[in-house]
Amino acid sequence: MTRPIIVFDLDGTLIDTAPDLLDSLNHSLAASELAAVDEAGFKRFVGHGGRVMIERAHAAQQRSLESQEHDRLLKLFLDHYTDNIPGKSRPYPGVVETIARFEAAGYLLAVCTNKYAANSVALIEALGLAKHFAAICGQDTFAFRKPDPRHLTQTIVLAGGDPHRALMVGDSQTDIDTAKAAGIPVVAVDFGYTDRHVREFEPSAVISHFDALTLGLAERLIAAAGR
């Protein structure tokens, strides 16, 4: 029988990358002579990758953005971010222990993120966690990305898992909508990057610390989805 699998979002779920994403966003905004975004306002810009982050930040300051300029600013953002990996980014409390807990129980682990794949792999490797994941899939791994459910289901297949024995863990409406569309149960962390409480998006469960992501919870949700 195929091993069960847990698929994690990356930014705001496994890793607190906000300080570095914010630094890179502000680096690109400075090139447009726009005001820097502060930490308090940052969450409303994240969730769909750097390009959307830049677009939302410009819209918030009533600044239009031409395609060529958008491309230039995205390159500035990505270059700044890549050059500083891992920067201040660190796993959330309980992540390392959770990985060990589920590996010991025979679960496969994977990452499905709207961050670019190369940056995702570089960050996870820099933090010493890459060996734990059977697949790390970014927004450019396939021809589609979250909230398209195929991003999640194909990540599972690439990792050697079965979508019928899978669980998603994320921090945003995008993650929750993706999992629901794929027919996969989803646990939402409430400490990630969203300006609305994740409970509003009706995930299968909500946790406030990775200690609450127990084997029992995962097994119950996967079993319930398979009925």
Side-chain angles (χ1 to χ4, degrees), residues 4-223:
I5 184 168
I6 298 185
V7 183
F8 298 91
D9 175 53
L10 188 57
D11 296 348
T13 300
L14 278 180
I15 311 297
D16 183 7
T17 55
D20 299 306
L21 292 173
L22 180 58
D23 285 349
S24 295
L25 175 61
N26 284 333
H27 176 74
S28 71
L29 293 178
S32 290
E33 299 182 346
L34 291 182
V37 174
D38 62 22
E39 185 175 353
F42 175 66
K43 288 185 178 182
R44 61 191 171 122
F45 299 132
V46 298
H48 294 273
R51 179 175 290 276
V52 175
M53 210 182 309
I54 292 167
E55 181 180 357
R56 289 176 173 175
H58 277 69
Q61 298 188 45
Q62 291 78 50
R63 176 72 72 85
S64 61
L65 192 57
E66 299 297 330
S67 177
Q68 187 173 356
E69 177 67 359
H70 203 167
D71 291 342
R72 184 182 77 87
L73 295 177
L74 178 62
K75 185 177 188 305
L76 287 175
F77 172 93
L78 291 173
D79 287 349
H80 185 274
Y81 183 81
T82 301
D83 290 346
N84 289 282
I85 288 175
K88 306 166 192 170
S89 297
R90 296 293 182 271
Y92 282 102
V95 163
V96 173
E97 294 81 1
T98 295
I99 287 171
R101 181 164 63 248
F102 280 94
E103 279 191 324
Y107 278 70
L108 292 166
L109 304 175
V111 170
C112 179
T113 173
N114 277 340
K115 185 193 288 290
Y116 284 97
N119 283 338
S120 302
V121 171
L123 175 61
I124 293 169
E125 286 181 342
L127 295 174
L129 300 176
K131 63 184 179 182
H132 301 290
F133 297 103
I136 300 171
C137 298
Q139 66 163 268
D140 52 338
T141 301
F142 309 110
F144 34 78
R145 65 177 188 173
K146 298 183 294 186
D148 190 314
R150 294 174 296 174
H151 192 178
L152 174 55
T153 55
Q154 289 304 303
T155 295
I156 292 168
V157 170
L158 188 62
D162 179 353
H164 295 100
R165 302 191 70 209
L167 177 68
M168 175 76 184
V169 181
D171 72 307
S172 69
Q173 182 177 6
T174 298
D175 297 320
I176 294 166
D177 288 348
T178 301
K180 286 181 175 181
I184 291 171
V186 55
V187 173
V189 301
D190 66 5
F191 47 74
Y193 306 152
T194 176
D195 58 354
R196 295 166 59 190
H197 197 284
V198 287
R199 197 177 302 280
E200 295 182 32
F201 310 124
E202 300 182 345
S204 309
V206 177
I207 61 173
S208 299
H209 192 287
F210 270 98
D211 287 351
L213 186 60
T214 63
L215 289 169
L217 175 61
E219 290 166 0
R220 286 195 301 273
L221 292 177
I222 292 172

